[in-house]
Amino acid sequence: MKDKTIRVVPYRRAKAAWNLALEEALYIKSLEKLKEEGTFNPIVRLYSFSSPSVILGYRQRISEIDYDYCLKNGVEVTMRKTGGGSVYLGKNDIQYSFILPLRYTRDILFSINSQIVEGLVRAGYVPKITEENNHPVIRMHEKSFVFDAQKRNIIYNGDLENPKFAILHHGTILIDNRDYD
């Protein structure tokens, strides 16, 4: 990559659907640039939701959550483009995303999570990385602390010998560190 600039998108608190749509738009634009130019500048983003929200993984059904409860209690329900289970997020929890021109590997995921752990330690937390289902997960006091998911793409551009790669890695830091029912 010629230009080593990392694009940092300013923090914004907004509706969950808006934030996830922006994240997907940034990823699609990065894929377009990857196809046209062979690379793109990495993107880093922090954001929060303006109200409590339930985020479904892309293969989940609405019947897997208590949708009536969400409607009655002002909990926004939306779906992300990555897999995984549903997550209840409060308005103080922090979401993050990285859009990177890299091939996904477990080492890349471990490196990303290690940097998050280092940042959390500097902020006064005591997290640790554990292996669960062959996936490095950040835990705090044996509870889920950071949830993450990835979306990966390969672009060949007519050259099967030299593919280009992209990762959307996003996750949640549960600020109040409690499991939600």
Side-chain angles (χ1 to χ4, degrees):
M1 182 185 303
K2 296 174 192 166
D3 181 4
K4 300 284 186 185
T5 303
I6 296 174
R7 181 177 176 190
V8 179
V9 178
Y11 171 85
R12 180 164 183 183
R13 183 183 302 271
K15 290 184 136 310
W18 188 93
N19 270 312
L20 292 174
L22 176 60
E23 183 176 81
E24 183 67 10
L26 290 168
Y27 188 63
I28 289 169
K29 187 67 174 171
S30 296
L31 291 176
E32 289 172 1
K33 193 162 186 160
L34 183 64
K35 191 171 186 176
E36 293 167 7
E37 301 176 20
T39 192
F40 61 89
N41 290 344
I43 299 171
V44 176
R45 184 166 173 255
L46 292 174
Y47 56 97
S48 296
F49 301 144
S50 54
S51 63
S53 304
V54 171
I55 312 300
L56 301 171
Y58 77 97
R59 291 188 182 197
Q60 284 191 282
R61 294 186 178 105
I62 197 82
S63 61
E64 295 180 39
I65 65 166
D66 188 345
Y67 187 66
D68 289 335
Y69 174 87
C70 293
L71 284 176
K72 289 176 189 169
N73 292 282
V75 176
E76 183 180 355
V77 177
T78 193
M79 183 175 279
R80 65 182 177 273
K81 291 286 196 163
T82 55
S86 62
V87 184
Y88 174 86
L89 303 167
K91 66 180 186 175
N92 293 321
D93 295 329
I94 296 174
Q95 314 331 298
Y96 62 88
S97 62
F98 304 102
I99 300 173
L100 307 169
L102 298 172
R103 181 179 194 158
Y104 173 84
T105 66
R106 282 183 23 80
D107 290 340
I108 292 290
L109 179 58
F110 187 82
S111 177
I112 289 169
N113 283 349
S114 294
Q115 295 300 314
I116 292 169
V117 163
E118 184 177 319
L120 291 169
V121 167
R122 288 181 182 176
Y125 294 98
V126 186
K128 65 179 180 177
I129 296 179
T130 63
E131 282 284 324
E132 296 178 22
N133 299 320
N134 205 26
H135 181 87
V137 175
I138 299 172
R139 293 279 185 196
M140 184 93 121
H141 306 295
E142 305 309 318
K143 296 181 179 182
S144 295
F145 189 68
V146 173
F147 301 97
D148 60 19
Q150 299 81 40
K151 184 175 183 178
R152 307 161 201 150
N153 283 80
I154 303 172
I155 295 178
Y156 290 100
N157 250 5
D159 183 359
L160 296 177
E161 301 294 319
N162 191 25
K164 305 296 180 191
F165 300 92
I167 302 171
L168 162 61
H169 177 90
H170 60 181
T172 298
I173 301 170
L174 299 175
I175 296 300
D176 60 10
N177 190 28
R178 61 182 173 177
D179 289 333
Y180 296 99
D181 295 326

